[in-house]
Amino acid sequence: MNPIIENSLQSSYSYQEYRNLMQTYAQEGKTTGESTEAYIHYTHLNEARMHRLDKTMQLTPEVAQQLEQLATDFLWVVLAETWCGDAAQVLPVLDKMASHTDKIELRVILRDEHPAVMNLFLTNGTRSIPKLIIIDKISGEVIGNFGPRPQGAKQLILDYKATHGVVDETAKTELQKWYLQDKGVSIQNEIMELLKLSIA
C-alpha cells in the first residue's frame, strides 16, 4: 500500500466514530477544518441530513446482490470534512454498502489533516471532497476512486455554473434536491461499476 495512505489510517475514523464526531461538533457549534461561521452552520445542517439518511438510505436489490458476490477484500478510505454537503450525502450510502458485506472495511480521514493523501486524488486540480479511494486489501493497490459527486450531480453543477457563472446557495439547494430524488442509487451504481471486475 502507498505509505502516504497507510500512514493516514492511524488517524482514521470508522463510520460510527465519524458520526459521533459530527454529532458532538454540531451540538457544540464546532466544525472540522477551518473554523468559520459558514462551516459551523454546514456541519449542523449536515448532521441532520446524515441522521435522516442513516435511517432511510436503502441499497437497491441489484447492488445488494452484487455486494454479496464480491470475491475480493477491500479497504475504502474516504476523504471528508463535516462541513461538506456532498460528503453528507455520499458517506451514508458508502456505509450502507460496506455494512452489507464483510468484504469491505470503511475508514474516514479528514482532508485538511491529510493534504498529502488529498494531493494524490485531485479532481481537475482541486481538492474536492468527498473522495473514495478503493484499495485491494491483499495487494494494497488502488483499484479506483470515486467522487466528489455522482455524474448527474456533477452535471447539474456544471450546467448551473455555465448559466449563472457561480455556484451559489440556489445551486446548493438544487444539488440537495437532486440527491433527495436520486436516493443514493447513482452513487451505488457508479461504485459497483468500479468493483465489477471483483464480483465472483
Side-chain angles (χ1 to χ4, degrees):
M1 191 188 300
N2 183 314
I4 294 172
I5 299 172
E6 197 166 14
N7 289 341
S8 76
L9 296 174
Q10 292 167 17
S11 53
S12 67
Y13 299 87
S14 69
Y15 182 73
Q16 196 49 59
E17 287 166 346
Y18 180 80
R19 291 293 292 111
N20 293 345
L21 176 78
M22 189 170 214
Q23 209 170 11
T24 303
Y25 276 15
Q27 286 166 353
E28 294 176 359
K30 294 179 182 173
T31 179
T32 60
E34 192 186 340
S35 187
T36 67
E37 207 172 303
Y39 280 1
I40 289 166
H41 167 71
Y42 287 131
T43 292
H44 197 268
L45 203 59
N46 289 335
E47 163 54 29
R49 276 183 191 134
M50 290 185 84
H51 182 73
R52 176 179 57 78
L53 286 166
D54 285 337
K55 288 182 172 179
T56 61
M57 174 62 230
Q58 290 188 329
L59 299 178
T60 67
E62 297 78 14
V63 166
Q65 190 180 16
Q66 288 172 337
L67 286 167
E68 287 157 19
Q69 294 170 342
L70 284 177
T72 308
D73 288 341
F74 293 104
L75 173 64
W76 285 8
V77 181
V78 187
L79 288 143
E81 293 284 349
T82 60
W83 49 261
C84 176
D86 289 292
Q89 295 286 354
V90 172
L91 269 168
V93 183
L94 300 183
D95 174 59
K96 277 288 191 301
M97 292 177 79
S99 300
H100 192 75
T101 172
D102 59 4
K103 294 286 188 183
I104 299 169
E105 181 189 354
L106 177 65
R107 304 299 297 177
V108 184
I109 61 174
L110 298 176
R111 180 193 73 174
D112 294 356
E113 287 181 8
H114 299 283
V117 180
M118 185 73 255
N119 289 339
L120 296 172
F121 298 96
L122 300 175
T123 304
N124 301 323
T126 67
R127 300 166 74 237
S128 301
I129 51 173
K131 183 67 84 164
L132 163 64
I133 307 159
I134 301 173
I135 299 163
D136 181 313
K137 258 194 175 174
I138 305 300
S139 69
E141 279 181 53
V142 174
I143 68 145
N145 67 80
F146 167 87
R149 299 182 181 113
Q151 204 50 52
K154 201 183 294 179
Q155 199 56 52
L156 182 145
I157 292 298
L158 285 172
D159 292 347
Y160 190 94
K161 202 171 179 182
T163 306
H164 302 278
V166 290
V167 176
D168 53 17
E169 285 305 316
T170 307
K172 288 174 186 173
T173 303
E174 289 302 312
L175 181 62
Q176 294 307 320
K177 280 187 200 164
W178 184 94
Y179 277 119
L180 202 60
Q181 288 166 350
D182 186 72
K183 296 181 167 55
V185 172
S186 294
I187 297 165
Q188 294 175 49
N189 290 339
E190 288 181 31
I191 291 170
M192 288 317 300
E193 204 46 44
L194 292 170
L195 296 178
K196 70 179 176 187
L197 293 175
S198 310
I199 295 170

